[in-house]
Amino acid sequence: QVQLVESGGGLVQAGGSLRLSCTASGRTGYAMAWFRQASGKEREFVAYITWSGGITYYANSVKGRFTVSRENTKNTVYLQMNSLKPEDTAVYYCARSRTTTFMSLTSGYNYWGQGTQVTISS
């Protein structure tokens, strides 16, 4: 049984920072990703990291501001978010990849966390 549990969300002012964590149980050895879903919008890709952590991908909207990393000894993936903007407001989800190839579509992921709310005030 795979479980993903996110934490670290909250309310911050624009320009601030947050660090999200996602701790996984069950089988390890998979690439992971972060997605987000704003109210009334579709879930969108944010960041991706391979099992080794050696390869990462980012959505253009967060490139240079967000950093994805992982500590495999703790089965945890992080998303460091800096220079936050009101448009970053969303529920953030971590997800485990079903393939060994990078995918930015939700169909590429077969396990999801429950999500953590991030709200950025202007």
Side-chain angles (χ1 to χ4, degrees):
Q1 183 75 11
V2 176
Q3 280 193 315
L4 304 177
V5 180
E6 302 99 334
S7 62
L11 170 65
V12 297
Q13 288 188 329
S17 298
L18 280 174
R19 189 176 82 155
L20 306 183
S21 300
C22 170
T23 300
S25 62
R27 288 187 62 188
T28 57
Y30 293 87
M32 299 287 291
W34 288 94
F35 286 76
R36 67 187 181 185
Q37 187 166 19
S39 181
K41 295 188 176 181
E42 292 189 354
R43 195 169 298 189
E44 65 174 6
F45 167 75
V46 175
Y48 169 96
I49 186 166
T50 55
W51 165 248
S52 69
I55 298 175
T56 57
Y57 295 101
Y58 297 93
N60 288 335
S61 59
V62 307
K63 204 171 292 183
R65 299 188 298 121
F66 290 13
T67 302
V68 61
S69 61
R70 65 192 302 163
E71 284 189 79
N72 289 337
T73 57
K74 296 182 179 180
N75 289 340
T76 301
V77 177
Y78 304 99
L79 184 67
Q80 178 67 44
M81 307 186 294
N82 298 328
S83 302
L84 285 161
K85 305 174 181 180
E87 50 263 45
D88 294 319
T89 295
V91 177
Y92 283 70
Y93 300 89
C94 67
R96 197 188 83 173
S97 178
R98 67 167 77 237
T99 74
T100 57
T101 303
F102 166 64
M103 291 186 68
S104 62
L105 300 177
T106 57
S107 58
Y109 301 84
N110 53 357
Y111 291 98
W112 295 81
Q114 82 288 352
T116 185
Q117 176 70 47
V118 171
T119 304
I120 312 303
S121 63
S122 57

